[in-house]
Amino acid sequence: MAYADDYVLGRALSDSVRLDAQHLLWKLHTGYTLHPQIPVRADMKVAELGTGTAIWLFDLSKDLPPATQLHGFDISGDQFPAPELWPSNVSLGLLNSLVDPPPSLTGQYDVVHVRMWASNIKDGNLAPLVSHIAKLLKPGGYVQWEEADLVHQVIAGAKAERFGEKVPALFRKAGLDYSWASAIHDHLEQARLGVLESRTDRFQPFLVQKCTDTYLLALAEILRGIGLTCAEDVLPLLREREADLRELSALHNKGIIYNWSPIKSLAQKGE
């Protein structure tokens, strides 16, 4: 089944490489793939929503028992690797995670993983996604969520600071609201998921460049996506920010810092 979607980021080769680089960024930041508080069982079932290239699942598959079932879901399969390359305990399929899951998936998973949905939530309403997560989980199951806070950023360098001051106006005109990320824990609690961890960090110095590089690539994708759907009166502002971003990208390894803040959340469904 194919789904219509308004995903603002890209799904081309460079966009997929950027996703894989972000996985490395997250793993070096957290020190794990599966949160260490989540118990591993031989027969556990794990789902990832918005799996993209499935890099998190592929990485996790080698660390879990062979009988573990790892299911990756996305609204588009354009970034899925060829099926013959999937690990034996991984399967990938299409699913809209902003509506109720089908009965065949309800209450099936020990773990649901969510990462970097910042540009997928257009109106700040997390309720559909969190409800979907809660319905997928078994009693006692865990949601592991890593998110990018694009509002509370770490920025240094004159051009980076100017860009950081200007680009929010474009996002507002394009209907992109990133303010919800800092309240993920509240939404989880409202869905009666017990929050075990919720913290916002900064990247260690050796990861600052990696975040800057991948963020600048993601911003280019976002601006391209805005250009495909925006109203005519938004185009002049968009072209200005695209020119600014090209200048900023040329300075990516020359002392500028343009980082989002990493958010880590872990919650558990009641028994």
Side-chain angles (χ1 to χ4, degrees):
M1 177 180 180
Y3 293 99
D5 72 277
D6 55 358
Y7 184 58
V8 73
L9 293 163
R11 294 191 175 103
L13 173 60
S14 61
D15 311 321
S16 295
V17 172
R18 189 261 310 161
L19 277 182
D20 291 347
Q22 283 178 178
H23 174 69
L24 174 63
L25 173 66
W26 274 109
K27 187 162 186 179
L28 291 173
H29 172 64
T30 63
Y32 56 78
T33 305
L34 186 69
H35 196 290
Q37 285 185 239
I38 298 175
V40 173
R41 298 201 324 269
D43 61 344
M44 71 191 300
K45 293 178 68 174
V46 178
E48 182 178 41
L49 306 183
T51 194
T53 65
I55 185 64
W56 184 83
L57 289 172
F58 283 21
D59 189 13
L60 182 62
S61 68
K62 61 184 173 49
D63 298 328
L64 295 181
T68 301
Q69 297 181 53
L70 306 177
H71 299 163
F73 299 109
D74 205 296
I75 203 168
S76 168
D78 289 351
Q79 291 176 290
F80 292 175
E84 59 268 24
L85 303 178
W86 301 355
S88 60
N89 56 352
V90 172
S91 65
L92 307 177
L94 301 184
L95 184 69
N96 183 353
S97 297
L98 297 178
V99 299
D100 285 347
S104 61
L105 298 180
T106 301
Q108 293 298 304
Y109 292 99
D110 300 282
V111 180
V112 174
H113 179 246
V114 184
R115 175 181 284 172
M116 296 189 74
W117 274 65
S119 291
N120 295 329
I121 306 297
K122 298 297 190 297
D123 56 3
N125 180 17
L126 273 187
L129 175 60
V130 174
S131 174
H132 186 101
I133 293 168
K135 288 175 180 177
L136 290 178
L137 287 171
K138 296 176 180 177
Y142 296 83
V143 53
Q144 175 183 325
W145 193 328
E146 296 110 20
E147 192 53 72
D149 184 342
L150 275 59
V151 174
H152 304 96
Q153 303 181 114
V154 179
I155 300 174
K159 287 192 175 181
E161 291 169 355
R162 285 197 295 272
F163 184 79
E165 292 168 356
K166 292 177 180 178
V167 77
L170 172 62
F171 288 165
R172 285 193 295 272
K173 282 184 172 291
L176 294 174
D177 178 8
Y178 296 112
S179 61
W180 57 265
S182 58
I184 288 172
H185 60 286
D186 293 330
H187 292 278
L188 293 172
E189 288 176 345
Q190 288 167 15
R192 300 189 177 183
L193 296 171
V195 176
L196 305 176
E197 179 187 23
S198 183
R199 58 181 296 175
T200 302
D201 296 318
R202 290 189 174 193
F203 287 110
Q204 299 173 70
F206 80 102
L207 294 174
V208 165
Q209 184 72 61
K210 180 62 68 180
C211 183
T212 295
D213 291 351
T214 53
Y215 192 12
L216 294 177
L217 290 173
L219 285 166
E221 295 173 39
I222 291 171
L223 297 192
R224 284 198 304 270
I226 291 173
L228 296 175
T229 59
C230 69
E232 193 72 23
D233 63 340
V234 179
L235 286 175
L237 185 60
L238 173 63
R239 301 307 175 215
E240 289 177 9
R241 297 296 80 80
E242 286 176 330
D244 293 341
L245 182 57
R246 285 193 292 271
E247 289 186 18
L248 194 59
S249 297
L251 301 173
H252 74 103
N253 62 345
K254 295 179 172 60
I256 69 159
I257 295 173
Y258 207 90
N259 281 196
W260 40 267
S261 296
I263 299 172
K264 297 180 295 183
S265 295
L266 181 70
Q268 186 175 22
K269 187 174 183 176
E271 294 285 356

